[in-house]
């Protein structure tokens, strides 16, 4: 049976709990659920805040595919994209700054993180246990 992407289009808001529930519905591994939930929450928040500028008139496009070996998610916003040199997984040098930890968390939660050339779509994947 071929694997198919499940597509979700949602308004760009921080009311993410219902979307997260739907995205994580096929996940039964409690051990990996925490990583997936934390990582996806961060990806979605970044897309809403930084990509779409908290504009509820914009949308997020989210795709999910579950294969025998991977859980894969793509999140795309309507923004201009994150520059390639800003996509690293490093923590901020100043521990008191209020932002800058999101990409580190994303890279920590997923085994694979890939960006579109434009930088407004990220694909994250976690190898199934």
């Amino acid at each position: 049976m071929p694997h198919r992407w499940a597509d979700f289009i949602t308004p760009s808001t921080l009311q993410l709990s219902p979307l997260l529930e739907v995205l994580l519905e096929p996940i039964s591994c409690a051990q990996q659920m925490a990583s997936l939930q934390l990582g996806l929450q961060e990806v979605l928040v970044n897309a809403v805040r930084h990509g779409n500028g908290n504009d509820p008139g914009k949308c997020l496009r989210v795709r999910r595919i579950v294969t025998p070996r991977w859980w894969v998610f793509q999140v795309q916003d309507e923004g201009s994209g994150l520059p390639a040199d800003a996509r690293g997984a490093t923590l901020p040098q100043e521990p008191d700054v209020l932002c800058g930890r999101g990409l580190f968390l994303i890279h920590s939660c997923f085994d694979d993180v890939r960006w579109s050339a434009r930088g407004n779509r990220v694909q994250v994947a976690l190898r199934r246990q």
Side-chain angles (χ1 to χ4, degrees):
M1 177 179 203
H3 304 287
R4 298 186 190 270
W5 286 98
D7 290 306
F8 307 90
I9 297 175
T10 184
S12 185
T13 73
L14 292 174
Q15 303 298 321
L16 298 170
S17 292
L19 176 60
L20 277 169
E21 277 185 37
V22 170
L23 291 173
L24 297 172
E25 185 178 28
I27 314 305
S28 59
C29 177
Q31 187 176 1
Q32 289 188 303
M33 178 66 85
S35 266
L36 286 166
Q37 189 169 10
L38 177 61
L40 274 177
Q41 171 87 19
E42 194 58 42
V43 169
L44 293 167
V45 166
N46 282 354
V48 170
R49 285 189 178 160
H50 303 295
N52 286 342
N54 288 314
D55 182 348
K58 294 183 177 179
C59 289
L60 297 179
R61 180 176 183 205
V62 183
R63 302 181 86 202
R64 176 195 67 212
I65 192 166
V66 179
T67 73
R69 295 186 181 170
W70 293 92
W71 286 300
V72 183
F73 302 88
Q74 291 179 349
V75 177
Q76 181 172 341
D77 58 56
E78 296 183 46
S80 58
L82 186 63
D85 63 350
R87 300 175 192 170
T90 59
L91 285 170
Q93 292 183 359
E94 298 295 323
D96 296 340
V97 296
L98 297 177
C99 60
R101 293 172 187 81
L103 292 177
F104 177 81
L105 277 173
I106 292 167
H107 282 270
S108 297
C109 290
F110 293 99
D111 296 317
D112 188 54
V113 179
R114 300 176 190 204
W115 294 87
S116 64
R118 182 174 157 193
N120 71 324
R121 183 180 68 237
V122 64
Q123 177 175 296
V124 293
L126 183 65
R127 186 181 307 273
R128 295 179 69 167
Q129 291 182 343

